[in-house]
Amino acid sequence: METPSVNPTGEKDTSQLKQQWERNPQENFDSTTEFRQQTQNLPTETLELKMSSDPASQFIENSQGTEKLVTRLEGDSDKSHESTREMPEFLQASDVWYCPDGSFIKKIIIRGQGLDKPKLGSRCRVLILGFPLGSGLPEGWTELTVGVGPWREKIWGELIEKCLESMCQGEEAELQLPGHSGPPFRLTLDSFTQGRDSWELETSEKEALAKEEHARGSELFRAGNPEGAARCYGRALRLLLTLPPPGPPERTALHANLAACQLLLGQPQLAAQSCDRVLERDPGHLKALYRRGVAQAALGNLEKATADLKKVLAVDPKNRAAQEELGKVVIQGKKQDAGLAQGLRKMFV
């Protein structure tokens, strides 16, 4: 069953929305400064299953800080009530929702209709306002398909997709991002077609979609875009993880590729976890052993790094990358030992 689309002749006046948007950006969302202060120094969110994962360090989870912001946005002060009274009538029905992975806050300006939300394959007619140039998103009315298309490859596209999956037909909302000091971005979901949850897909459909994401991720990785590649690998893994165990062998390659992206993105802890998933299925996977060794060295776990790298060289003695990395670990270990010895001598002087 398809949700009726809006007649082109009945489209909302985008110029009016833009004027309203430009006139009251601070009234619409006046907690930007506090949000930016509360979202500094947050823990890194797991990239593997939450594109996550983004990879950008500013899109991370902090449940306590987010809850405080929600309380702030809901408003219990005289100033908040006064601001609300000054808002136009269509801004009165407001609510706040924060993305579970902490990547953005959504303030509902106009509530949507019904309970249905876009799912995989839903074609959504949306109005996008206020997103920065270079985001890859068009300004104004456009049509986006959940789970399909290159628009999802950048961080902005991923955020839009997460937001759309939380919206009802007719809903208008503002999005505020951690660290973003400007006015919030606005998104309107005008209509959408019926989609399907991932659990409704047949096994063959999930595997086919995962292969597409895998292939696109590899293209992006070769093009020097580890962030986009990681998002593709993560989406592929989310599809395959819903299959009965042990799952397809492709999961091993996806975790190994994801680990390579995470190392390039400066996320050694996540990279080590991804390699663990590979080695649980294939203990002799040389790339996973090497990448875990590199990750452990970056984390300062030199004994674990040495053990993994020696396993690689035991099978492939001429592996130059493993030889060089092991040499670095040995040097790093000697420096640590020298520092420890110096510290001990000072204790007994």
Side-chain angles (χ1 to χ4, degrees):
M1 175 178 178
E2 180 171 308
T3 306
S5 299
V6 172
N7 190 312
T9 61
E11 288 180 356
K12 300 178 182 177
D13 186 352
T14 60
S15 62
Q16 181 180 357
L17 284 173
K18 287 184 179 179
Q19 291 173 5
Q20 177 62 40
W21 174 248
E22 294 169 355
R23 212 165 35 237
N24 297 310
Q26 198 61 35
E27 284 186 12
N28 292 345
F29 212 111
D30 60 2
S31 299
T32 300
T33 302
E34 180 171 341
F35 186 92
R36 184 171 67 254
Q37 293 172 350
Q38 292 174 347
T39 52
Q40 294 176 351
N41 302 321
L42 304 180
T44 302
E45 178 57 38
T46 301
L47 172 65
E48 180 178 323
L49 299 179
K50 298 179 179 179
M51 267 316 95
S52 245
S53 125
D54 214 341
S57 60
Q58 63 196 37
F59 300 117
I60 48 184
E61 180 175 7
N62 182 3
S63 58
Q64 292 182 349
T66 307
E67 289 170 1
K68 290 179 182 178
L69 178 60
V70 170
T71 303
R72 164 70 175 165
L73 292 176
E74 287 173 346
D76 56 3
S77 65
D78 293 340
K79 182 178 179 180
S80 175
H81 291 304
E82 181 180 351
S83 176
T84 301
R85 286 195 298 271
E86 294 174 355
M87 289 183 181
E89 183 178 353
F90 81 99
L91 291 178
Q92 293 299 311
S94 64
D95 197 4
V96 175
W97 178 87
Y98 54 100
C99 187
D101 65 5
S103 56
F104 64 91
I105 298 285
K106 181 183 77 170
K107 182 177 182 181
I108 300 174
I109 304 303
I110 297 181
R111 293 181 179 275
Q113 306 168 4
L115 300 175
D116 291 337
K117 296 177 174 62
K119 301 177 182 178
L120 182 64
S122 292
R123 295 192 303 276
C124 304
R125 179 168 173 72
V126 299
L127 175 62
I128 299 174
L129 295 174
F131 283 82
L133 295 175
S135 65
L137 298 170
E139 182 84 358
W141 289 102
T142 189
E143 187 173 282
L144 303 174
T145 302
V146 176
V148 179
W151 67 275
R152 308 155 61 235
E153 291 170 3
K154 294 186 178 181
I155 188 65
W156 298 104
E158 184 183 9
L159 293 172
I160 291 292
E161 187 170 52
K162 291 176 184 177
C163 188
L164 287 175
E165 291 175 335
S166 73
M167 299 176 75
C168 298
Q169 181 182 350
E171 182 177 319
E172 294 185 20
E174 292 175 349
L175 280 69
Q176 183 66 55
L177 277 58
H180 178 71
S181 59
F185 314 112
R186 176 165 290 196
L187 187 66
T188 301
L189 175 59
D190 196 62
S191 63
F192 61 92
T193 62
Q194 186 178 20
R196 291 188 291 174
D197 286 311
S198 59
W199 57 265
E200 298 178 285
L201 300 176
E202 299 291 338
T203 297
S204 59
E205 292 177 299
K206 293 179 183 179
E207 291 178 343
L209 287 173
K211 286 181 179 179
E212 290 179 9
E213 294 284 5
H214 190 170
R216 181 57 181 159
S218 297
E219 290 178 8
L220 293 172
F221 187 85
R222 287 193 294 268
N225 183 1
E227 289 186 39
R231 284 191 284 274
C232 289
Y233 295 144
R235 287 194 291 262
L237 283 167
R238 285 195 293 272
L239 286 165
L240 297 181
L241 286 174
T242 61
L243 299 179
E250 189 176 7
R251 283 174 53 181
T252 301
L254 285 166
H255 279 299
N257 292 352
L258 183 59
C261 296
Q262 290 162 335
L263 285 174
L264 290 175
L265 294 169
Q267 300 168 333
Q269 183 66 52
L270 299 180
Q273 293 172 3
S274 295
C275 291
D276 287 341
R277 303 293 177 271
V278 177
L279 296 169
E280 287 170 2
R281 298 168 65 95
D282 183 2
H285 197 289
L286 292 185
K287 288 184 178 179
L289 284 169
Y290 169 75
R291 289 167 187 166
R292 190 172 69 175
V294 174
Q296 296 291 4
L299 293 169
N301 302 325
L302 302 187
E303 291 185 5
K304 292 181 178 180
T306 300
D308 282 338
L309 294 170
K310 284 184 175 180
K311 287 179 182 178
V312 174
L313 292 172
V315 178
D316 183 9
K318 296 182 180 181
N319 190 311
R320 191 165 184 176
Q323 290 174 350
E324 292 177 356
E325 192 63 33
L326 183 59
K328 294 178 184 178
V329 171
V330 170
I331 294 173
Q332 189 175 351
K334 290 180 178 179
K335 290 181 179 179
Q336 283 189 0
D337 292 341
L340 179 61
Q342 184 177 3
L344 290 173
R345 284 196 296 269
K346 289 182 179 179
M347 290 176 62
F348 295 99
V349 171

